[in-house]
Amino acid sequence: MPCLSGDAAQKALAEASGEKYLFYYEYPPEGEPLVRPVTAEELAALPADAGAISGADWYVVDKDFTWTYAQTHEADCGPYFCRKN
């Protein structure tokens, strides 16, 4: 299954339509739930290094899990976008 990374991953996320859900592997920022619906505007407002800032890996998926966007807590890794075949 091919995976996009970096700017291509961010572009794929921006172009993805439908309901989106943000979730954290662990350690969500203070006051954040582990999983929540997220709007395109909220995603656009997240800094590129949000994972590094919070120290948490975070993911965005569509409601059917047909694709996944992953942002690691390491500033020099990712982001990644992968779609099911």
Side-chain angles (χ1 to χ4, degrees), residues 46-82:
L46 283 172
D49 59 352
I53 292 169
S54 69
D57 296 345
W58 54 273
Y59 307 86
V60 179
V61 297
D62 67 329
K63 70 177 185 163
D64 296 319
F65 285 81
T66 59
W67 55 263
T68 302
Y69 176 88
Q71 178 67 60
T72 70
H73 66 277
E74 293 99 352
D76 58 341
C77 294
Y80 304 102
F81 185 95
C82 189

Side-chain angles (χ1 to χ4, degrees), residues 9-85:
Q10 291 174 327
K11 182 178 178 188
L13 176 62
E15 293 173 352
S17 61
E19 296 175 56
K20 296 176 182 74
Y21 296 87
L22 172 69
F23 67 94
Y24 295 88
Y25 176 68
E26 55 187 8
Y27 312 120
E30 186 71 33
E32 282 281 322
L34 281 177
V35 179
R36 69 176 176 90
V38 65
T39 65
E41 293 79 21
E42 289 174 298
L43 288 174
L46 283 172
D49 59 352
I53 292 169
S54 69
D57 296 345
W58 54 273
Y59 307 86
V60 179
V61 297
D62 67 329
K63 70 177 185 163
D64 296 319
F65 285 81
T66 59
W67 55 263
T68 302
Y69 176 88
Q71 178 67 60
T72 70
H73 66 277
E74 293 99 352
D76 58 341
C77 294
Y80 304 102
F81 185 95
C82 189
R83 187 178 301 275
K84 279 186 182 179
N85 289 336

